[in-house]
Amino acid sequence: MRVADIIARLLESWGFHTAFGVPGESYLALLDALHDIHGFRFIACRQEGGAAMAAEAHARVTGKPGLVMVTRGPGLTNASAGIHVAQQGSTPLVVLIGMPARETDRRQAFQELDVQAMGQVIGKDALIIRDPHRIGEQLSHAFHLAISGRQGPVLVGLPEDVLAEEVDDLPQVLLSSPIRPCAIPTPKLLERAAEIIARAKRPFVIAGGAGWTPEASKSLERFATHFGIPVSAAWRRQDVLDNTNLSYVGHMGLGVNLKLAERVRSADVIFVVGARLGEASTSGYTIFTPPTIQPVLIHLHPDANELGAVFRPNLALAGDPAETLYALANANPGDVASRSVWKSDARKEYEEFTFPIQDVGDLQLAQAVVHVSDTVPPETIITNGAGNYAIWLQRFFRYRRFGQQLGPQSGSMGYGIPAAIGSAFANPEVMVVAFAGDGCALMTIQELATIAEYRLPIVIIIIDNARFGTIRMHQERDYPGRTIGTEITSPDFANVARGFGLAATTVRTTNEFITAFDVVFKSGAPHLLHLFPDRRVISPGKTLLT
């Protein structure tokens, strides 16, 4: 049995039936071994960056590590954009990399790259399997690394001669799947946390981070209702709580409601659940300034190493959010009635902020997003990349179920389209709606070929203003009258889609969008909508100078 056959057997036994990548000659033996695994799908993407982003989204939908396969230096460097998405989003990902043969190591062989050094910079860790007889042990270790603590991407280098080498049969003990460790704070810590929150007059929850499940979302809802606490979502984690729930009061991050930011600052207890409180969630560390949050910070995170890494908590809780919140929901909540105005006012501000705003032009993006939000069933998956167009989505779309929102915490352009692909393979029974700006879409536009090949149930909505809008906005703010490099010429995306074999529609007004979206969404077939809003509109209620 070859090492490649061992890997294929392990992946099958651990329940991994889908991998994303671009085939390469350095891991042909592994592809050959996977050919004999019943039901295994190797999704050949058109560029490794798109493959890694698709695998990252697949992981977020399934709750299991995403699987990527690439070849040597060019494949890994292309994939690095998606690996960085997984690293900043704390998404478990295992990247299998075909490498030059061991005998050429450190000779700068064809397409050679220091996988270990690169993986330790852009990922959680990296290892190279040079001993064929340790393949099971080391591959198991890689998957455990990916799913433990703060989850993330792990790179695994596989020299091509190792893959072809004959070894003994696989030890049966390794056939069981790697299991994510689950911890809960001690009873004394839980009691202390409950006491602090129960005494608070203006407590506030910020929930987010990775590793959430439908059960964790239900625990959060039960806890927030029990204690009468308003809940906001960390950056691009708006689906941690049903947005129609009266405890939900908005999202932190770019485009934050200024009233929400002020309310968070005035809270007497901040309870951070699962999130890291990064730069985006804190509006560039202006809502909170490291290293402390006044007056009281309780921080719950599954990885103890994240507690105190940036903000020093008054009470640090290392544990699984679902189990911890479930336990806290049984504690004495204190005077819930005294917090009712605090909570209801926060909810009122959220509802006012999310009422559709009127911009200039015939195509109103706020109304378009609200229509999508009101039309699609809650199981529909919504993806987006990076750009100012996403502000409308974050502000006006109401996420109703955990797993509905997929956006890059890293702010990576190009994520929306490949993320839709990964989502569609993870849950083929539901529709996916992918939002992208014109600059964002052009980063991974080649993946329309993957959508067309598999006839995936995806509606792609491209919002075209013929510029890198976010950078242009910052240019006009910081260097007025001195714009450079931000005007771009985009193609006719509808014709591009048709060239890939997809149906497409050009949209210039709100009514055209509503009519077209209703038809294409109900069809269940892939379709691209090319939107032309007034290009002066840069964010809700704001226009560019030129």
Side-chain angles (χ1 to χ4, degrees):
M1 181 177 286
R2 299 171 299 174
V3 166
D5 299 310
I6 296 287
I7 296 173
R9 287 267 316 274
L10 283 173
L11 293 177
E12 179 186 32
S13 177
W14 294 345
F16 292 93
H17 304 293
T18 304
F20 300 85
V22 176
E25 61 189 71
S26 60
Y27 67 98
L28 284 176
L30 178 55
L31 290 173
D32 177 68
L34 292 171
H35 185 275
D36 294 331
I37 302 300
H38 179 71
F40 192 91
R41 301 177 300 184
F42 179 87
I43 310 303
C45 297
R46 282 17 180 206
Q47 203 258 13
E48 290 90 350
M53 292 178 188
E56 193 270 353
H58 191 273
R60 289 174 63 175
V61 174
T62 62
K64 299 175 61 176
L67 189 58
V68 190
M69 297 182 185
V70 299
T71 186
R72 304 187 187 185
L76 178 55
T77 50
N78 281 344
S80 64
I83 296 170
H84 184 250
V85 170
Q87 175 67 10
Q88 292 232 318
S90 303
T91 304
L93 199 69
V94 174
V95 187
L96 302 181
I97 307 149
M99 292 177 57
R102 287 169 293 179
E103 66 180 6
T104 65
D105 191 33
R106 300 293 177 177
R107 292 179 180 172
Q108 205 171 75
F110 181 60
Q111 298 184 340
E112 184 179 3
L113 184 72
D114 190 335
V115 169
Q116 201 142 20
M118 186 172 181
Q120 290 169 347
V121 171
I122 67 169
K124 185 175 179 180
D125 205 348
L127 60 150
I128 299 173
I129 302 178
R130 293 185 172 90
D131 183 348
H133 301 286
R134 296 183 64 191
I135 181 63
E137 168 202 344
Q138 292 192 294
L139 192 63
S140 175
H141 177 58
F143 276 86
H144 274 286
L145 277 175
I147 63 177
S148 61
R150 180 187 171 190
Q151 301 179 96
V154 175
L155 279 59
V156 181
L158 300 168
E160 58 183 325
D161 60 319
V162 170
L163 289 172
E165 192 159 326
E166 295 287 334
V167 291
D168 296 334
D169 286 348
L170 178 68
Q172 294 297 306
V173 69
L174 289 173
L175 292 178
S176 58
S177 301
I179 298 174
R180 174 170 166 76
C182 179
I184 187 170
T186 65
K188 285 187 177 181
L189 286 173
L190 290 173
E191 182 180 356
R192 178 63 179 148
E195 288 175 352
I196 293 172
I197 298 169
R199 289 200 305 264
K201 292 181 171 59
R202 300 180 307 280
F204 199 93
V205 171
I206 300 174
W212 284 78
T213 63
E215 292 71 27
S217 182
K218 291 176 183 175
S219 293
L220 174 61
E221 180 179 353
R222 182 169 175 261
F223 165 80
T225 302
H226 181 63
F227 277 84
I229 302 182
V231 177
S232 70
W235 170 238
R236 287 183 172 158
R237 300 292 187 182
Q238 290 165 253
D239 59 349
V240 293
L241 182 64
D242 181 352
N243 296 178
T244 64
N245 186 288
L246 295 181
S247 297
Y248 182 80
V249 297
H251 73 279
M252 309 293 288
L254 304 182
V256 65
N257 182 357
L258 296 181
K259 290 184 179 180
L260 174 62
E262 188 56 38
R263 182 169 291 276
V264 172
R265 291 189 188 99
S266 67
D268 57 1
V269 172
I270 297 290
F271 184 20
V272 178
V273 181
R276 296 177 52 249
L277 282 189
E279 183 179 7
S281 290
T282 60
S283 298
Y285 302 109
T286 60
I287 295 177
F288 304 121
T289 303
T292 60
I293 292 177
Q294 298 296 335
V296 177
L297 168 64
I298 303 173
H299 196 173
L300 166 65
H301 197 280
D303 190 339
N305 292 320
E306 292 296 328
L307 300 172
V310 179
F311 291 95
R312 183 177 180 180
N314 299 87
L315 184 63
L317 305 175
D320 174 72
E323 297 297 327
T324 305
L325 289 170
Y326 185 86
L328 286 173
N330 293 318
N332 179 4
D335 189 357
V336 175
S338 67
R339 306 181 197 120
S340 61
V341 174
W342 165 254
K343 176 181 170 181
S344 62
D345 284 353
R347 177 66 187 185
K348 181 181 178 182
E349 289 167 358
Y350 165 71
E351 291 176 348
E352 291 171 348
F353 185 66
T354 55
F355 187 82
I357 195 169
Q358 188 78 14
D359 289 308
V360 300
D362 296 326
L363 177 52
Q364 296 295 313
L365 292 179
Q367 292 180 29
V369 170
V370 168
H371 179 75
V372 175
S373 180
D374 291 344
T375 300
V376 301
E379 62 268 19
T380 306
I381 296 172
I382 309 295
T383 72
N384 65 271
N388 268 32
Y389 71 90
I391 296 176
W392 278 271
L393 189 61
Q394 289 155 198
R395 178 169 173 177
F396 299 110
F397 194 94
R398 294 198 176 186
Y399 297 91
R400 288 164 285 165
R401 179 181 293 187
F402 172 74
Q404 191 174 17
Q405 181 188 31
L406 293 180
Q409 275 66 42
S410 65
S412 178
M413 294 174 68
Y415 178 82
I417 292 174
I421 293 170
S423 303
F425 279 108
N427 194 346
E429 302 303 317
V430 306
M431 287 290 291
V432 184
V433 180
F435 284 82
D438 51 327
C440 183
L442 287 171
M443 296 283 180
T444 50
I445 194 69
Q446 66 275 3
E447 299 307 336
L448 292 182
T450 310
I451 295 173
E453 178 181 348
Y454 293 97
R455 307 304 299 171
L456 299 176
I458 299 171
V459 178
I460 306 111
I461 299 174
I462 296 181
I463 301 168
D464 187 351
N465 63 358
R467 52 174 44 126
F468 291 122
T470 303
I471 310 306
R472 177 60 175 273
M473 177 183 69
H474 293 162
Q475 269 185 342
E476 292 198 2
R477 181 194 64 194
D478 297 340
Y479 304 98
R482 296 177 61 81
T483 57
I484 181 172
T486 51
E487 295 290 305
I488 60 175
T489 300
S490 295
D492 182 333
F493 286 103
N495 276 335
V496 170
R498 295 183 190 109
F500 281 111
L502 296 174
T505 304
T506 299
V507 175
R508 298 184 184 276
T509 70
T510 306
N511 286 338
E512 287 178 359
F513 174 81
I514 291 172
T515 301
F517 181 80
D518 287 350
V519 171
V520 302
F521 188 83
K522 290 176 183 176
S523 74
H527 198 108
L528 185 143
L529 298 177
H530 186 187
L531 277 58
F532 286 97
D534 190 305
R535 68 192 302 264
R536 294 171 295 173
V537 178
I538 194 61
S539 64
K542 296 182 180 180
T543 57
L544 291 170
L545 297 175
T546 56

